[in-house]
Amino acid sequence: MDNFTRVSPAIEVGVSITGKRVAMVLDRLKTLHGLPTMITVDHGPEFTSRALDEWAYRNGVKLDFTRPGKPTDNAYIESFNGKFRLECLNQNWFASLQDAQSKIEAWRRDYNWERPHSSLGNQTPRAFVQSWESPEPIPLIAMGLKS
C-alpha cells in the first residue's frame, strides 16, 4: 500500500508467498507504477529472504524493516490489513484459489476506486491521485465511469 495515496497496487493471493514471488510482483508493479525509494516490511520470511534482498539491491530500493513485535511501526498497513480482513476476508467464502483471487481483486479495485477514505478527505484513492496530479477536474467519462 502506498502510504501517501492509500492506493493498494496489488494483493497477491496464494497458498504460500515466497520472497521470490514478492519480487515477481514488485517487478510487475514497477513497469506499471515505477519504484519507490523505500518499502517498509515486517520480518516475515518472504521479506527477509535472499530473493527479495537481491531484488531490492538490483533495483535500488531500500527495505525498511519494522522493529519485531512493533506493528505500530507501519500503522498504515496495519489499518489496511484490518479493513481488508473486516470488509473482504470475513465477508467471503472462497471455494478455490481462483475464487479467492477474483473476490480479493474485486475488493482491491473497490478500495482504490469506489470507497472513500477519511484520511484522504473522504475521497477515493483514485480521485486523490487525480487531484494531486491534475488540479483540473477530469470528466467522469474520461475515467470510464460514465458512458
Side-chain angles (χ1 to χ4, degrees), residues 35-38 54-63:
L35 290 173
T37 56
M38 180 177 63
E54 288 174 359
W55 177 90
Y57 178 78
R58 280 194 322 272
N59 287 280
V61 175
K62 179 182 184 225
L63 296 178

Side-chain angles (χ1 to χ4, degrees), residues 14 19 28 38 41-42 46 50-51 53 61 64 67 72 76 80 84 91 121 123:
R28 186 178 78 232
M38 180 177 63
V41 296
D42 63 25
E46 68 277 23
R50 176 174 284 157
D53 186 53
V61 175
D64 179 36
R67 295 173 294 167
T72 54
Y76 292 120
F80 173 84
F84 177 50
Q91 300 297 318
Q123 296 181 83

Side-chain angles (χ1 to χ4, degrees), residues 34-106:
L35 290 173
T37 56
M38 180 177 63
I39 299 173
T40 303
V41 296
D42 63 25
H43 288 268
E46 68 277 23
F47 300 125
T48 58
S49 70
R50 176 174 284 157
L52 188 60
D53 186 53
E54 288 174 359
W55 177 90
Y57 178 78
R58 280 194 322 272
N59 287 280
V61 175
K62 179 182 184 225
L63 296 178
D64 179 36
F65 289 92
T66 59
R67 295 173 294 167
K70 300 290 183 181
T72 54
D73 283 354
N74 197 359
Y76 292 120
I77 197 63
E78 293 301 321
S79 175
F80 173 84
N81 287 343
K83 288 172 181 60
F84 177 50
R85 169 141 321 269
L86 182 69
E87 299 171 8
C88 182
L89 299 179
N90 289 351
Q91 300 297 318
N92 291 286
W93 287 97
F94 304 116
S96 66
L97 189 56
Q98 185 177 20
D99 182 43
Q101 289 167 332
S102 175
K103 288 175 179 173
I104 289 169
E105 179 60 14

Side-chain angles (χ1 to χ4, degrees), residues 83 87 110-125:
K83 288 172 181 60
E87 299 171 8
D110 182 73
Y111 179 88
N112 287 338
W113 298 347
E114 306 296 331
R115 182 185 181 281
H117 295 243
S118 59
S119 62
L120 300 175
N122 288 315
Q123 296 181 83
T124 65

Side-chain angles (χ1 to χ4, degrees), residues 11-23 25 44-47 49 97 101:
I11 298 176
E12 188 68 5
V13 179
V15 176
S16 176
I17 308 290
T18 64
K20 186 175 183 177
R21 188 143 168 210
V22 172
V25 170
E46 68 277 23
F47 300 125
S49 70
L97 189 56
Q101 289 167 332

